[in-house]
Amino acid sequence: MALSKQQIAQRIAQELQDKWYVNLGIGIPTLVANYIPQGIDVEFQSENGLLGMGPFPVEGTEDADLINAGKQTVTILKGGSLFDSAMSFAMIRGQHVQLTVLGAMEVAANGDIANWKIPGRMVKGMGGAMDLVASAENIIVAMMHTNKKGESKLLKQCSLPLTGVGCVKKVVTNLAVLEIKEGAFHLLERAPGVSVEEIQNATEGNLIVDGEIPEMKL
Amino acid sequence: MALSKQQIAQRIAQELQDKWYVNLGIGIPTLVANYIPQGIDVEFQSENGLLGMGPFPVEGTEDADLINAGKQTVTILKGGSLFDSAMSFAMIRGQHVQLTVLGAMEVAANGDIANWKIPGRMVKGMGGAMDLVASAENIIVAMMHTNKKGESKLLKQCSLPLTGVGCVKKVVTNLAVLEIKEGAFHLLERAPGVSVEEIQNATEGNLIVDGEIPEMKL
Amino acid sequence: MINKVVKNAKEALEGVENGMTFMLGGFGLCGIPENSISELVSLGITDLTCISNNAGVDDFGLGLLLQKRQIKKMISSYVGENDEFERQMLSGELEVDLIPQGTLAERCRATGAGIPAFFTPAGYGTEVAEGKETREFNGKMYVLEHAFDAQFAFVKAWKGDTAGNLIFKGTARNFNPMMAMAGKTTVVEVEELVEVGELDPNQIHTPGIFIQRIFQGKDYEKRIEQRTVTPKS
Amino acid sequence: MINKVVKNAKEALEGVENGMTFMLGGFGLCGIPENSISELVSLGITDLTCISNNAGVDDFGLGLLLQKRQIKKMISSYVGENDEFERQMLSGELEVDLIPQGTLAERCRATGAGIPAFFTPAGYGTEVAEGKETREFNGKMYVLEHAFDAQFAFVKAWKGDTAGNLIFKGTARNFNPMMAMAGKTTVVEVEELVEVGELDPNQIHTPGIFIQRIFQGKDYEKRIEQRTVTPKS
């Protein structure tokens, strides 16, 4: 069965490594914070100027001066720090943030990503996404495998304006975990009960299926 | 009579304007702080990371963690601030410091300055001088009119390696106050009792003497 | 010590004119210069270019200036949390220049720091890099980005002293410190204006040298855009 | 919270090798990483390239490494307060690359901030600009300067917590924060190592994300180069 958004987040959380600083985008990525594996320490960076981001505040303690990049009220953990936007993107551009998790409208087999603009529609802007994808050593895209029309979002080539080129290394969807290398999607894991054929049908870009593909463990 | 170093500093202090942030180099420039005219507020910046620099500390209160760019122990005034070297030179490069006063080995009639290197001799480095002269809107050079051999330091062209090009606007020496414009030294004031001829003889670069030249008031 | 205090927003905004370029601090509605924005609305000046990470919401922040059609152009990283913005943009009344957030922040810093241009990887290979110089350094491609030129910067700080030294609070810091460095005239409004000597010189976020005018702000609403909480247990 | 604490200088310096490039904080003898320098002397590694604003004095700071001829090249803005330095430089044993102080600071920041190159006015028209790209912006000439590449940065802070968050004191801050950002491995020694939660998150100069190792320093001498005082009245 295809994963829920929560389960996508849960699977991505397994990619976290001890001592990593992590930037989580809006949407599914935000949920990753709920599934940090036991025994590892990670710290969340919010690009509006916050390191050591904690959970939402207890009702009544929310502070207008303490928000995340999604403009949600948050808390700061002991050992966290606050800084300006130039310092925040110095961290990102300087590759001090080990992992970026973000959503996408399209991902291509060459690692290109499009997630900020649909021509003809209202464009809200790229926010920090272009800085994040141009800089991070590890980028995981969290998204549905297909769009609302049922069309694949894992493409030969992006059709939408790009956010970044050749930068995505891993994609976790409701159907599969895929690695991008050598211009192709390499199938690593299937969602429980989802067949390779289903994944193949939902993937427009070149899909490499090498040997037996295990089911995800959640 | 030619000015003492103290008097050069005293004359330069008359150039200070209300609300100016000022960077004083090592040597004569440092003495300028002793002669701030009454009724104006200026603040001294030290490029090692200090704004609102005060006088030397009272004996016994000196702090190894509070020095100026000359590595001397100093104090910080109320309303001062401390910052890192990148911020300090952001202030300088960004022209937030209104006046730089520094010494020189040579100044040329085109505004070039040389004050950091004598070929064949031990070179100690330019420190912050190149940033200061390349950035400041107002640069006053404080120096003796001639070197120890009696040779003019106000030249047609600098012979030593340059610190900055076309940047010096004003020179105050033991003999005169001069403005640099249109490729020449324009004599503005004479030291008390010093004749125009003496200044002319001590100036190698083109010297413009326009009308009666007043004596400095100290 | 050099005193930067002015009486109020009216005095602080002396000299603003039609057609000027302004920087305005804040991320979303967090840390925005509420008093200066109100005063700009009152003054009714138009054809403004506003450099600000976001564009407010319909009835708050820069949305107030948009409602009165005072803004000609927005330079931002993320906009469109408000309908009037969308209407003006789609109708072509409003120009919008969208810039990656880190590039926006660094361009503001560069402006204040006397750096006319720098290379950044953000936007390489995208339409953001179109028409810009690109170059490879150590096997990676970068885009050349330039400093801004802004007549006024409007900044909101938590505490400030009469010499213009500032301390920000929480994530209300965001773009404020770089914009404070970057304005030809930087106007700061503070929640608490104190005498010199009350702030620890070692703990100042923005040294007063960058500030031309500072005033005690009033009536802060500090609206929250997304109130997310966990229930009391 | 990610813990960066190591036991001592010995553990903090694991991995340093002959021929490496290091950054070392400090201005003169103010804010230098005394413990790390001592440990480098003990380790006896050689052929080092040291990026540091100054080069210490004969018997303190980087002078200690010079005495033992461990340094191959210095990258500094001002040197030569010590005789051994002068001897080695004049004899050609020591390479010296002199850089304007603001350019040095900005290049350190650029290294940490992922900016491979930027334009600065410093040094234009001088031998510092020889062989470098120059360009005009708004009628003024600038020089293109590049980021560094340093395996280790050695930093001295006043207080630090176990997560690597740092606070500096007075003018001992100087180059330390930018170098802290710039090292592939950044090693910090502090006068006072505290638990997370003891430092105000709003008042941290260097966030812990930049730091790989932190330790409690000891036996600080904090030598004063120029003791200038006014007599007690």
Side-chain angles (χ1 to χ4, degrees):
Chain A
M1 220 181 64
L3 302 188
S4 67
K5 289 181 179 183
Q6 293 286 351
Q7 287 173 311
I8 294 174
Q10 201 179 343
R11 175 60 192 83
I12 289 173
Q14 295 174 11
E15 302 287 316
L16 299 176
Q17 292 185 20
D18 193 31
K19 294 183 187 288
W20 268 11
Y21 292 90
V22 178
N23 183 294
L24 300 177
I26 296 170
I28 300 175
T30 302
L31 304 172
V32 172
N34 301 328
Y35 301 99
I36 307 169
Q38 289 235 319
I40 73 165
D41 286 322
V42 297
E43 233 178 286
F44 295 108
Q45 198 251 18
S46 189
E47 66 265 28
N48 58 317
L50 171 58
L51 200 63
M53 184 165 51
F56 296 144
V58 171
E59 210 177 330
T61 68
E62 64 271 25
D63 179 356
D65 289 332
L66 197 60
I67 64 171
N68 66 15
K71 283 117 186 170
Q72 298 171 311
T73 46
V74 292
T75 53
I76 181 167
L77 301 174
K78 274 187 186 179
S81 56
L82 296 151
F83 36 84
D84 65 43
S85 302
M87 177 61 103
S88 185
F89 283 93
M91 291 174 189
I92 290 167
R93 235 189 284 102
Q95 304 197 320
H96 306 280
V97 175
Q98 277 76 28
L99 172 66
T100 283
V101 184
L102 78 176
M105 300 168 182
E106 297 179 348
V107 173
N110 63 359
D112 288 358
I113 176 172
N115 74 348
W116 78 285
K117 183 174 183 176
I118 302 176
R121 289 233 225 128
M122 169 66 190
V123 180
K124 296 199 170 188
M126 67 294 280
M130 283 195 183
D131 305 273
L132 283 159
V133 300
S135 307
E137 281 187 78
N138 300 294
I139 298 170
I140 299 180
V141 167
M143 65 177 192
M144 295 293 134
H145 212 99
T146 54
N147 65 21
K148 283 170 188 162
K149 298 187 208 151
E151 298 161 343
S152 179
K153 295 170 74 174
L154 288 82
L155 306 174
K156 286 192 180 69
Q157 203 179 316
C158 290
S159 67
L160 296 171
L162 296 182
T163 307
V165 294
C167 52
V168 179
K169 305 249 165 64
K170 199 165 251 183
V171 183
V172 178
T173 74
N174 52 331
L175 302 184
V177 178
L178 309 104
E179 192 184 355
I180 295 179
K181 57 179 183 186
E182 294 151 12
F185 296 103
H186 296 251
L187 185 58
L188 299 184
E189 297 174 22
R190 299 173 291 119
V194 171
S195 70
V196 170
E197 289 64 34
E198 282 175 80
I199 296 165
Q200 182 70 74
N201 291 338
T203 306
E204 188 218 86
N206 187 15
L207 183 75
I208 308 283
V209 182
D210 189 7
E212 194 70 19
I213 305 300
E215 278 191 359
M216 296 178 207
K217 292 192 182 68
L218 291 171
Chain B
M1 221 180 66
L3 303 188
S4 67
K5 289 181 178 181
Q6 292 287 350
Q7 288 174 310
I8 294 174
Q10 201 179 342
R11 175 59 191 83
I12 289 172
Q14 295 174 12
E15 303 287 315
L16 298 176
Q17 293 185 21
D18 192 32
K19 293 183 187 288
W20 268 11
Y21 292 90
V22 179
N23 183 293
L24 301 176
I26 297 170
I28 300 175
T30 302
L31 304 172
V32 172
N34 300 327
Y35 300 100
I36 307 168
Q38 288 235 318
I40 72 166
D41 285 323
V42 296
E43 234 177 287
F44 295 108
Q45 199 250 18
S46 189
E47 66 264 28
N48 58 319
L50 171 59
L51 199 63
M53 183 166 49
F56 297 143
V58 171
E59 210 178 329
T61 68
E62 63 271 25
D63 179 356
D65 290 331
L66 197 60
I67 64 170
N68 65 15
K71 283 114 184 175
Q72 299 171 310
T73 45
V74 292
T75 53
I76 182 167
L77 301 174
K78 275 188 186 177
S81 56
L82 296 152
F83 36 85
D84 65 40
S85 302
M87 176 61 104
S88 185
F89 283 92
M91 292 174 189
I92 290 167
R93 235 188 285 102
Q95 305 197 321
H96 306 279
V97 175
Q98 277 77 26
L99 173 66
T100 283
V101 183
L102 78 175
M105 299 167 183
E106 296 179 348
V107 173
N110 63 358
D112 288 359
I113 176 172
N115 75 348
W116 77 284
K117 184 175 184 176
I118 302 175
R121 289 234 225 127
M122 168 67 190
V123 180
K124 296 197 170 188
M126 67 293 280
M130 284 194 183
D131 305 273
L132 284 160
V133 300
S135 306
E137 283 187 79
N138 300 295
I139 298 171
I140 300 179
V141 167
M143 65 177 191
M144 294 295 133
H145 212 99
T146 54
N147 65 21
K148 283 171 188 163
K149 298 186 210 152
E151 299 162 343
S152 180
K153 295 171 73 175
L154 287 84
L155 306 174
K156 287 192 179 71
Q157 203 178 318
C158 290
S159 67
L160 296 170
L162 297 182
T163 307
V165 295
C167 53
V168 179
K169 305 248 166 63
K170 201 165 252 182
V171 184
V172 179
T173 74
N174 52 330
L175 302 184
V177 178
L178 308 104
E179 191 184 354
I180 294 178
K181 58 178 182 187
E182 293 151 11
F185 295 103
H186 295 251
L187 185 58
L188 299 183
E189 297 174 21
R190 298 172 292 120
V194 171
S195 70
V196 170
E197 288 65 36
E198 281 176 80
I199 295 164
Q200 182 69 74
N201 290 338
T203 307
E204 189 219 84
N206 187 14
L207 183 76
I208 308 282
V209 182
D210 191 7
E212 193 70 18
I213 305 300
E215 279 191 0
M216 296 178 207
K217 291 192 183 68
L218 291 170
Chain C
M1 205 53 48
I2 301 170
N3 191 309
K4 312 289 178 73
V5 178
V6 295
K7 223 164 32 201
N8 50 31
K10 189 172 156 56
E11 207 175 306
L13 268 68
E14 235 168 59
V16 298
E17 284 176 23
N18 292 344
M20 279 186 167
T21 297
F22 297 154
M23 287 182 175
L24 298 106
F27 184 96
L29 301 177
C30 183
I32 59 172
E34 296 187 17
N35 284 237
S36 290
I37 292 172
S38 293
E39 184 63 23
L40 286 171
V41 172
S42 299
L43 290 170
I45 53 169
T46 59
D47 290 314
L48 303 175
T49 295
C50 292
I51 302 168
S52 167
N53 190 56
N54 312 90
V57 296
D58 266 319
D59 62 343
F60 202 56
L62 287 183
L64 299 171
L65 288 170
L66 286 163
Q67 270 183 18
K68 297 191 68 185
R69 308 201 187 166
Q70 294 177 261
I71 301 178
K72 183 184 71 179
K73 182 176 183 179
M74 283 299 311
I75 299 176
S76 305
S77 88
Y78 192 84
V79 294
E81 283 104 342
N82 73 67
D83 295 336
E84 179 58 18
F85 184 97
E86 186 161 350
R87 195 197 61 69
Q88 290 183 25
M89 182 172 148
L90 293 176
S91 73
E93 287 167 65
L94 181 67
E95 275 176 76
V96 181
D97 193 359
L98 293 169
I99 292 177
Q101 194 175 141
T103 300
L104 182 64
E106 192 67 13
R107 286 179 66 187
C108 290
R109 179 188 179 274
T111 309
I115 302 286
F118 60 89
F119 285 95
T120 174
Y124 175 75
T126 76
E127 63 180 55
V128 161
E130 276 170 24
K132 292 178 184 164
E133 180 177 337
T134 58
R135 196 182 292 197
E136 186 178 325
F137 296 93
N138 298 316
K140 185 168 173 171
M141 294 301 298
Y142 293 82
V143 183
L144 186 68
E145 296 281 2
H146 293 75
F148 289 115
D149 192 3
Q151 278 101 340
F152 279 82
F154 299 106
V155 163
K156 156 79 193 313
W158 179 37
K159 293 182 182 179
D161 70 17
T162 57
N165 295 301
L166 308 180
I167 295 178
F168 303 92
K169 180 165 165 264
T171 56
R173 195 180 322 181
N174 56 63
F175 285 83
N176 282 298
M178 290 83 69
M179 291 182 172
M181 295 166 70
K184 283 204 176 50
T185 298
T186 292
V187 169
V188 184
E189 55 185 88
V190 292
E191 291 183 54
E192 197 183 336
L193 183 62
V194 303
E195 289 303 314
V196 290
E198 288 191 38
L199 304 179
D200 179 350
N202 206 39
Q203 296 293 15
I204 283 163
H205 294 140
T206 296
I209 191 170
F210 297 112
I211 309 308
Q212 279 68 49
R213 305 173 190 170
I214 188 168
F215 69 98
Q216 170 68 59
K218 60 179 188 184
D219 303 332
Y220 284 104
E221 183 174 338
K222 301 222 267 184
R223 200 185 290 188
I224 292 174
E225 262 177 281
Q226 305 284 341
R227 188 178 304 270
T228 46
V229 294
T230 50
K232 282 182 200 173
S233 57
Chain D
M1 204 55 46
I2 301 170
N3 192 311
K4 311 289 178 73
V5 178
V6 295
K7 222 165 27 198
N8 50 31
K10 191 174 154 58
E11 207 175 305
L13 268 69
E14 236 168 58
V16 298
E17 284 176 22
N18 292 344
M20 279 187 167
T21 297
F22 297 155
M23 286 182 176
L24 298 106
F27 184 97
L29 301 177
C30 182
I32 59 173
E34 296 186 17
N35 284 237
S36 290
I37 292 172
S38 293
E39 184 63 23
L40 285 171
V41 172
S42 299
L43 289 169
I45 54 170
T46 59
D47 291 314
L48 303 175
T49 295
C50 292
I51 302 168
S52 166
N53 189 56
N54 313 89
V57 295
D58 267 319
D59 61 343
F60 201 56
L62 287 182
L64 299 171
L65 288 169
L66 285 163
Q67 270 183 18
K68 296 190 69 183
R69 306 197 191 170
Q70 294 178 260
I71 301 178
K72 183 183 71 180
K73 182 177 182 178
M74 282 298 312
I75 299 176
S76 304
S77 89
Y78 193 84
V79 295
E81 283 105 342
N82 74 66
D83 295 338
E84 178 59 16
F85 183 97
E86 185 163 349
R87 195 197 61 69
Q88 290 183 24
M89 181 171 148
L90 293 176
S91 73
E93 287 168 64
L94 181 67
E95 275 177 76
V96 180
D97 192 359
L98 293 168
I99 291 177
Q101 194 175 141
T103 300
L104 182 64
E106 192 67 13
R107 286 178 67 186
C108 290
R109 179 187 179 272
T111 309
I115 303 285
F118 60 89
F119 285 95
T120 174
Y124 173 74
T126 75
E127 63 180 54
V128 161
E130 276 169 25
K132 292 179 184 164
E133 179 177 338
T134 60
R135 195 181 294 197
E136 186 179 325
F137 296 93
N138 298 315
K140 185 169 172 171
M141 294 302 297
Y142 294 82
V143 184
L144 186 67
E145 296 282 1
H146 293 74
F148 290 113
D149 192 3
Q151 278 101 340
F152 279 82
F154 299 107
V155 163
K156 156 80 193 313
W158 179 36
K159 293 183 183 180
D161 71 17
T162 57
N165 295 301
L166 308 180
I167 294 178
F168 302 92
K169 180 166 164 263
T171 55
R173 195 179 322 181
N174 56 65
F175 286 83
N176 282 298
M178 290 82 70
M179 290 181 172
M181 295 167 68
K184 286 206 175 50
T185 298
T186 292
V187 170
V188 184
E189 54 184 270
V190 292
E191 290 182 54
E192 197 183 337
L193 183 62
V194 302
E195 289 303 313
V196 289
E198 289 192 37
L199 303 178
D200 178 350
N202 206 39
Q203 297 292 14
I204 282 163
H205 294 141
T206 295
I209 190 171
F210 296 113
I211 309 308
Q212 279 68 47
R213 306 172 190 170
I214 189 168
F215 69 98
Q216 170 70 58
K218 59 178 188 186
D219 303 332
Y220 283 105
E221 184 175 339
K222 302 223 268 184
R223 199 185 290 188
I224 292 175
E225 262 178 279
Q226 305 284 342
R227 187 178 306 270
T228 47
V229 294
T230 50
K232 283 182 199 170
S233 57

